[in-house]
Amino acid sequence: VLEEIVLSQSSLPADFKPPCNFKTLKASVFKEALVWNQYRINLKSNRLISACSLKNHSAFSVEKSEHFLLRLLSLPLKPLSLDKRKKIGPPPLGGEKDQRKFWLPPKFVEGQKSAEADFEVFETLWPKDGSDLSNRKIELYFDKFFAWPYFIQINTPQLTVFLKTIDSGRNFPHFSRLN
């Protein structure tokens, strides 16, 4: 089950600033969500079982070709080789050994920045399907603690797009039961 919640800045309490701790938000904030959808996905068959709007209390259909996350979850992943990993700072001058540290996305657990980020980086290639993502390389940063990628990066000739996890943890409120 995957829940997608889009909150407007104006619906958040004035003192709610990054880093964010979603456990501290009241149910009323989620009731004001711009988008609040729940997807049930069969990971073995890579099929969307159902999609519903928890905001509007109604089911809706999603064409397989339109569901980015379902398609992303079905793509084969392979570890990104160390020589392809992003590093911090400018590259060394010719002939010098590259001693730069690997770049890692920030990791927040229950509103607190974690110094213990141990990411495994994978890559995949979006299929040639005529879409804007067609044949694009995608990098995904996973932590052993959390099943969803903390960071997803898609490179195109025009720009780099990324999706990031802004908080993770245990025992978050089950938002669908707040209705």
Side-chain angles (χ1 to χ4, degrees):
V1 175
L2 178 66
E3 275 190 35
E4 170 188 29
I5 300 171
V6 178
L7 301 170
S8 69
Q9 188 70 34
S10 62
S11 69
L12 296 172
D15 62 345
F16 191 76
K17 305 257 186 269
C20 306
N21 185 346
F22 285 90
K23 282 185 175 183
T24 64
L25 292 178
K26 304 228 180 309
S28 61
V29 170
F30 296 98
K31 290 180 181 177
E32 295 178 32
L34 301 172
V35 174
W36 188 0
N37 296 333
Q38 183 181 78
Y39 305 97
R40 293 186 182 277
I41 301 169
N42 181 328
L43 293 176
K44 289 184 181 178
S45 65
N46 295 318
R47 288 189 43 233
L48 181 65
I49 298 167
S50 65
C52 64
S53 168
L54 298 174
K55 180 175 178 63
N56 300 327
H57 307 285
S58 61
F60 61 90
S61 67
V62 178
E63 294 295 322
K64 186 175 182 179
S65 62
E66 294 176 354
H67 200 280
F68 168 75
L69 295 176
L70 181 62
R71 189 89 183 255
L72 180 64
L73 292 171
S74 69
L75 296 176
L77 300 175
K78 67 177 186 177
L80 185 65
S81 64
L82 294 178
D83 62 315
K84 291 183 181 178
R85 297 260 316 260
K86 289 194 304 185
K87 294 184 178 180
I88 300 169
L93 299 174
E96 291 182 17
K97 185 178 178 183
D98 193 344
Q99 297 183 348
R100 296 176 294 162
K101 291 183 179 182
F102 290 115
W103 176 86
L104 297 172
K107 175 183 171 183
F108 288 90
V109 179
E110 298 179 0
Q112 300 296 314
K113 188 169 184 176
S114 174
E116 299 176 21
D118 183 23
F119 291 101
E120 293 182 79
V121 186
F122 293 88
E123 66 180 341
T124 190
L125 193 64
W126 195 267
K128 291 182 183 179
D129 61 1
S131 72
D132 290 339
L133 294 176
S134 184
N135 208 35
R136 301 286 180 222
K137 184 178 115 179
I138 302 172
E139 294 177 8
L140 302 101
Y141 289 72
F142 288 92
D143 183 83
K144 294 173 186 170
F145 160 79
F146 190 57
W148 184 253
Y150 268 90
F151 193 83
I152 301 170
Q153 180 173 315
I154 305 165
N155 298 310
T156 72
Q158 297 80 17
L159 67 142
T160 298
V161 178
F162 62 89
L163 303 168
K164 61 181 179 177
T165 298
I166 57 175
D167 198 8
S168 64
R170 290 186 166 78
N171 302 318
F172 278 84
H174 194 279
F175 302 130
S176 63
R177 292 194 184 127
L178 298 175
N179 272 344

